[in-house]
Amino acid sequence: FNEAHNCAYIGEAPTTRCVYESTDGTLASVACKEACGECGGVDPDPTPVPSPSPVQNTPSPVQTAACLDDPDWHGKYNADHTCAYVSESPSSRCGWQNSDGTPASVACKKSCDECDGGGPDPTPAPTPSPVQSSDCSDDPDWHGKFNEAHNCAYIGEASTSRCGYESTNGTLASIACKESCGEC
């Protein structure tokens, strides 16, 4: 998104616009949590639910239904990377996207602990195993598509929100920065 595509604009069509990225690689779903329904599990564009009586003021069931994992969502590189798989390592996987660009943090609200709007619980850094495979390292040449300073070290400073960043050729940080994203 840009100056014209602010959070109010994103909120007009959150289903399609919450996957927009700013020039620094920040997803609209991260920057515009309220507009994208990331606060308190409230749907930003709820379908009105008829109440049984005009006097009764019953909370909408949309609020509780919003805190579910999408059973059809999976990562764009592997159909086995479902919300259940994301839940095994939410700190590094909730930034993953599907082929439509929908991040796991949006589709897998329960697995990513996005139900109360508080975001995932902090997860301690993984303890490195004594023997790591040779393919578990950060690509020293990888950087984000909007800023060359967004390298694997930068990704590792906030892996929960940054491992979904892409390079100019579309390679996800979670693939190129395996060590920084906790994928070892």
Side-chain angles (χ1 to χ4, degrees):
F1 48 39
N2 58 37
E3 289 180 22
H5 296 159
N6 57 24
C7 291
Y9 173 81
I10 298 298
E12 292 172 5
T15 305
T16 56
R17 295 178 182 164
C18 286
V19 296
Y20 287 7
E21 282 186 29
S22 66
T23 55
D24 70 356
T26 303
L27 286 172
S29 61
V30 173
C32 304
K33 288 187 179 281
E34 185 175 340
C36 292
E38 298 290 323
C39 296
V42 177
D43 187 341
D45 189 20
T47 305
V49 177
S51 61
S53 150
V55 175
Q56 191 173 5
N57 201 2
T58 307
S60 168
V62 172
Q63 291 179 340
T64 56
C67 190
L68 299 173
D69 288 344
D70 181 345
D72 299 323
W73 187 94
H74 62 79
K76 66 179 163 184
Y77 298 114
N78 190 329
D80 292 333
H81 292 174
T82 62
C83 290
Y85 184 79
V86 167
S87 73
E88 294 172 9
S89 183
S91 64
S92 61
R93 297 177 181 163
C94 287
W96 289 3
Q97 297 179 359
N98 69 4
S99 58
D100 296 329
T102 303
S105 61
V106 172
C108 306
K109 288 188 181 295
K110 183 175 180 184
S111 292
C112 291
D113 196 22
E114 294 290 337
C115 299
D116 62 0
D121 292 333
T123 304
T127 306
S129 63
V131 179
Q132 292 185 350
S133 66
S134 61
D135 67 342
C136 189
S137 60
D138 291 343
D139 180 347
D141 299 321
W142 186 93
H143 62 80
K145 65 182 169 185
F146 298 113
N147 189 331
E148 289 189 24
H150 292 174
N151 57 20
C152 290
Y154 175 83
I155 297 298
E157 292 171 5
S159 60
T160 302
S161 59
R162 295 178 181 164
C163 285
Y165 284 15
E166 291 184 13
S167 66
T168 53
N169 70 1
T171 302
L172 282 175
S174 61
I175 302 298
C177 306
K178 288 185 182 284
E179 186 174 356
S180 292
C181 289
E183 293 298 315
C184 297

